[in-house]
Amino acid sequence: MHGFADRGLDAPRGRFASTGRFGRMFPELRSLREFAPSPAELGRAGGAMDGGNPPPSDTSQNNPRIKAGYTFLGQFIDHDLTLDATSILEQQVDVNATHNFRTPALELDSVYGLGPAVQPFLYDRAKPFHLLVSEDGGDLPRNRQGTAIIGDPRNDENIIVSQLHLLFLKFHNKVLDDHTDPVLGGRERFEAAQKLVRWHYQWIVLHEFLARTVGTHLVERTLADPAFLYPAEPFMPVEFSVAAYRLGHSQVRPGYLLGPDRAAALFPDDPSAQEAVTDLRGGRPVPPELRVDWQAFFGPDAQPSKFLDTRISTVLLRLPDGVVPPGTPDTFRSLVTRNLQRGLDLRLPSGQDVAAYLCQPALSEAELWQGVEGGHGPAPLWFYILREAERRAGGQRLAGVGAEIVARTFVALLLADRASFLAQDPRWTPTLPSRHAGRFTMTDLVNLTLGTTLESEDVSALPGDDAPMPAHKRWQWPGGNGQRNRAA
């Protein structure tokens, strides 16, 4: 789910410290040093955050707002933002990434790598400037040992995200073949396709993924008046990466439909079990039985994701070998325990303190700790955000603190990227074929790439959307002027 060596995660803790790859959105707030129950107690199988492994026939955890595909799109986006492409030597010299690091941006480096000149093994020699896929087109390109040949190995962590990576490889190839000017030279045509792919991807992230996750009105308000801007080089706020954006762990189901009459568990019940066609662990060639029919993940008829709440599927509390190293103690096989402990290690503030800082209505003690034996007082930020989504938005999207952190981070990153559509041409709208002019969704991407005819969803008409909000008090970076810096 997340790597074990997160270079740069020793984030600066003071408001006057310079940032590296990671930094703080709220450097003034005090760290939460401990909470009750402990990370191990909250995260144990059978504990307060164990949501069980309900069968597909149980619809009680179905989220009608967010389809299952967006759980894995969120993982794909996370990998795009946090890819560290620095050399091993640079990492040894600068282990905390205080100077040498790739700034976070939505630019599909996991797909394109460093380009065909520097990383030609990602590209098809027989079809210049096309990205390489497997011979039968149904899997990522792999070496003789089954290791994926891609720009970011994390996109082979599970089969669904690996199939999503394959979809983006094919999307580039389709755009290059059918939606660029053949009169252009090879390099110019590749760059034209790359720009089209990146901008349409950024549009999906902003106007579909983010709008589903935090609400359409909050996205509109954040775009109109961004409350968080980077004073210098962009960095990854730890309040986002270690808490708010780990929302996806709550959305994970114990198993998924892959197509008509085909399904598989995410992970096996026995953590030490060998890989099989009955589970979706990655890092191996994808057997035909486990290849994804995207109609099962995107579009009005797709399976839903799980509600956003504090109940995490049991499969994530017993991570199997291959996801964690063999011999890992049971306590640290729990993704919940790992997330909560990482929040303590990174000295995140409590959820209540962030709510007060952002002038968000705080959850009461009873709302926050209901059903948690021994729960009281300040809550870890990740737990608070999930409970807030459950209480304030019925589990259909983030609300309050979580929604603000996620919306502000995505908009700030796009504004800081001088190559993004938001920085270069904020009035731009999608130009590739789609079901509805001026819109482009994941179903449009699937249809364009694979020739399918999936229906598209109007995000603003989905259930559980947020209400229009009055203009908020603009929050500025401490010591900064809060002004929007636009590319020349």
Side-chain angles (χ1 to χ4, degrees), residues 259-337:
D261 303 318
R262 291 188 298 118
L266 181 65
F267 299 139
D269 290 334
D270 178 1
S272 62
Q274 297 296 309
E275 293 170 348
V277 295
T278 55
D279 74 78
L280 295 167
R281 282 176 290 178
R284 54 175 168 152
V286 179
E289 300 94 326
L290 298 181
R291 292 181 178 179
V292 170
D293 178 346
W294 291 113
Q295 187 171 354
F297 287 86
F298 298 112
D301 299 324
Q303 63 196 307
S305 67
K306 180 191 157 297
F307 275 128
L308 282 162
D309 54 32
T310 57
R311 295 180 290 276
I312 311 300
S313 294
T314 305
V315 291
L316 298 185
L317 309 186
R318 298 186 305 204
L319 296 175
D321 293 350
V323 178
V324 295
T328 297
D330 288 347
T331 297
F332 295 105
R333 287 183 182 271
S334 169
L335 190 58
V336 170
T337 296

Side-chain angles (χ1 to χ4, degrees), residues 352-377:
Q352 292 97 321
D353 282 353
V354 178
Y357 191 79
L358 295 178
C359 301
Q360 293 292 323
L363 295 173
S364 69
E365 190 87 350
E367 288 178 308
L368 184 56
W369 294 112
Q370 182 180 0
V372 181
E373 185 177 352
H376 66 278

Side-chain angles (χ1 to χ4, degrees), residues 401-417:
V401 167
E404 289 287 345
I405 292 173
V406 171
R408 293 177 184 201
T409 301
F410 272 113
V411 171
L413 287 170
L414 283 168
L415 288 172
D417 176 7

Side-chain angles (χ1 to χ4, degrees), residues 14-34:
R15 63 174 292 182
F16 301 109
S18 61
T19 60
R21 181 177 169 217
F22 289 82
R24 296 185 184 275
M25 185 177 280
F26 312 119
E28 303 88 351
L29 297 184
R30 294 175 65 102
S31 305
L32 179 64
R33 301 300 182 95
E34 60 181 356

